[in-house]
Amino acid sequence: MHDINRELTPAGRTIAMLALIVAGEAVFFLPFVLPRVFRPTLLDVFDVTNLQLGIAFSVYGVVAMLAYFPGGPLADRFSTRKMMSFALVATSIGGFALATIPSLAGLQVLYGFWGVTTILLFWAPLIRATREWGGTKLPGRAFGILDGGRGLVAAAIGSGAVALFSFFMPSEVQNATLEQRTVAFRQVIFLFAGITFAAAIFVWFALPRSKESSDDSQSKYEPGGVVRVLRMPTVWLQAIVVVCAYVGYKGLDDVSLYAHEVLDYDEVQAAKVGTLSMWVRPFAAIAAGLLADRFGVARLTMLSLLVFGIGSAAIAAGAFRPGETVFFFATLIATSAAVFALRGLYFAMMEAGRVPFGDTGSAVGIVSVIGYTPDVFMGPLMGVLLDRWPGELGHQYVFAVLTLAATVGLMASILFWRIVHRPI
């Protein structure tokens, strides 16, 4: 295995992981963090329905599905540093286009463009570099630190963005005109685009150049790796777990709108609820990664899916009413923790599933093609459920879907655990 750790000092190793963390979240600020935290405002400013926004997500998802598989072999063949830096610059340019408040068609084209920049050029290099950083002994820690760190970056920037948005809004938020909301929202878009561009510069200088000239044959892409990976049942089960966990992640996009429509929070309060969910992520993912290296990735995955299912079922059952703050926040924190723990675990499953390092990109491509299909269907599905059944009922249906996903994922993780604990 090409070993990044032999080429870096301890300080360089820390800086390299920090670059992966910042870049790994910054690249998704514009397409995903923005609508997650500011969904009610985005719908008003762009004058779109939940379904129309969901279709834009779906365009992204379709492009991403086409990009995941070729992106895997590209990551095994070309420079991580160059691919990630270029992807970040291109994504930030899309952000400045978003600030012009394009039409619905323009918004959909932009999401398709981001599907190329964030997936074809970025995703597999990020996962390969992280697996390389963790090596064979600390896969859980590597991916836990990556996703936990990404969560910390998202929560910090998200909170800053909410503060910036609040600064540009009038003191009486409910009385803000569309023009005032648009001006405030545009500042948030500029903030996210600027940070994404800065992340590109950080990656360019922080990641080692050595892989570009590496002669290590085990680090190079081999066509036979695709066939080897396709024959591994653990890879297919890992893909199912990723699908189910990602349904949960996409479902959390509904949290701020749920707080606004069901619990009567205003737009700023609803954005803070969405940000609270994000603050859970760093602690959950890092803790899950550390515990996984000690107790096993499969065990922690099963536990996380169980908690995710219970929390989703509580919301689906209509357990909350305005004013029931403590119970709601306890459930939100537990459910968010389980979902974000899964994000810190599901690529660490690759080491437990005994995927050869030289086939990492191919495995990432295959798992991602299947695992991230919620990018295609969850946006439109949530849009249909929320628009057709306005109010609490639509949100209950959304979380019923999440409950079903958690149940399927739990069954797949149990099978994965049985296979990896079977004698070789």
Side-chain angles (χ1 to χ4, degrees):
M1 181 187 292
H2 173 74
D3 191 355
I4 190 175
N5 301 317
R6 289 201 302 263
E7 300 167 4
L8 294 175
T9 63
R13 178 171 155 80
T14 300
I15 292 171
M17 174 52 77
L18 185 60
L20 294 176
I21 287 169
V22 172
E25 192 58 31
V27 80
F28 296 112
F29 276 163
L30 290 158
F32 294 119
V33 175
L34 189 69
R36 167 161 293 183
V37 178
F38 297 96
R39 190 181 184 103
T41 307
L42 187 149
L43 295 175
D44 285 344
V45 169
F46 283 84
D47 190 25
V48 295
T49 65
N50 284 294
L51 178 57
Q52 288 171 328
L53 178 60
I55 290 172
F57 286 147
S58 188
V59 170
Y60 175 97
V62 170
V63 173
M65 290 304 104
L66 297 174
Y68 275 122
F69 191 76
L74 284 175
D76 286 336
R77 300 181 69 182
F78 297 109
S79 163
T80 295
R81 172 174 158 268
K82 288 181 178 178
M83 289 182 70
M84 290 176 64
S85 296
F86 182 78
L88 286 158
V89 169
T91 302
S92 71
I93 291 172
F96 291 107
L98 183 70
T100 65
I101 316 298
S103 64
L104 175 60
L107 186 65
Q108 292 170 349
V109 169
L110 196 50
Y111 266 86
F113 171 74
W114 280 331
V116 173
T117 63
T118 62
I119 301 304
L120 180 67
L121 302 176
F122 187 89
W123 183 246
L126 174 69
I127 299 302
R128 180 185 169 99
T130 306
R131 188 181 180 197
E132 198 172 351
W133 190 93
T136 57
K137 295 181 179 179
L138 300 172
R141 181 172 300 181
F143 285 100
I145 290 173
L146 174 71
D147 204 73
R150 286 177 60 194
L152 186 60
V153 169
I157 300 301
S159 295
V162 171
L164 181 68
F165 179 71
S166 181
F167 176 79
F168 282 96
M169 289 282 275
S171 55
E172 295 293 329
V173 176
Q174 300 286 29
N175 297 328
T177 65
L178 178 61
E179 183 180 356
Q180 289 172 318
R181 293 204 296 275
T182 302
V183 169
F185 193 58
R186 187 176 277 122
Q187 305 311 309
V188 174
I189 295 172
F190 284 140
L191 172 67
F192 283 176
I195 292 172
T196 305
F197 186 85
I201 299 173
F202 187 21
V203 164
W204 183 262
F205 289 104
L207 294 189
R209 304 184 184 198
S210 53
K211 186 189 166 189
E212 300 171 31
S213 58
S214 174
D215 293 325
D216 188 342
S217 61
Q218 293 184 46
S219 294
K220 295 181 179 179
Y221 167 67
E222 298 178 7
V226 175
V227 177
R228 284 193 296 273
V229 169
L230 286 171
R231 289 175 177 170
M232 299 182 71
T234 53
V235 170
W236 292 100
L237 291 169
Q238 180 184 358
I240 293 172
V241 169
V242 174
V243 168
C244 298
Y246 202 61
V247 165
Y249 177 68
K250 298 295 289 184
L252 288 181
D253 282 350
D254 187 42
V255 166
S256 62
L257 193 62
Y258 175 86
H260 182 59
E261 294 186 347
V262 179
L263 304 182
D264 297 333
Y265 287 30
D266 66 32
E267 289 183 55
V268 172
Q269 290 172 329
K272 288 179 179 178
V273 170
T275 306
L276 172 65
S277 174
M278 292 162 60
W279 272 108
V280 175
R281 180 177 171 187
F283 305 102
I286 292 173
L290 294 174
L291 291 171
D293 285 335
R294 182 171 182 180
F295 299 107
V297 171
R299 286 191 181 93
L300 264 293
T301 300
M302 288 187 285
L303 177 62
S304 299
L305 285 160
L306 180 62
V307 174
F308 161 40
I310 293 171
S312 299
I315 299 176
F320 307 109
R321 292 290 176 269
E324 296 178 357
T325 306
V326 176
F327 187 25
F328 168 67
F329 278 105
T331 303
L332 174 63
I333 290 170
T335 306
S336 299
V339 170
F340 290 129
L342 288 166
R343 287 176 60 82
L345 292 169
Y346 53 48
F347 277 106
M349 293 172 75
M350 213 167 278
E351 199 67 43
R354 306 182 188 110
V355 174
F357 181 78
D359 298 336
T360 298
S362 298
V364 170
I366 292 166
V367 168
S368 298
V369 165
I370 300 167
Y372 293 114
T373 51
D375 275 333
V376 177
F377 68 79
M378 273 301 286
L381 176 60
M382 289 171 63
V384 168
L385 295 175
L386 294 172
D387 289 342
R388 186 169 180 181
W389 291 280
E392 184 176 13
L393 186 58
H395 295 285
Q396 286 180 268
Y397 286 152
V398 169
F399 280 91
V401 171
L402 269 58
T403 305
L404 176 61
T407 303
V408 173
L410 180 59
M411 290 189 291
S413 65
I414 291 171
L415 286 174
F416 182 93
W417 180 83
R418 292 182 65 181
I419 290 173
V420 299
H421 285 83
R422 195 170 57 198
I424 300 175

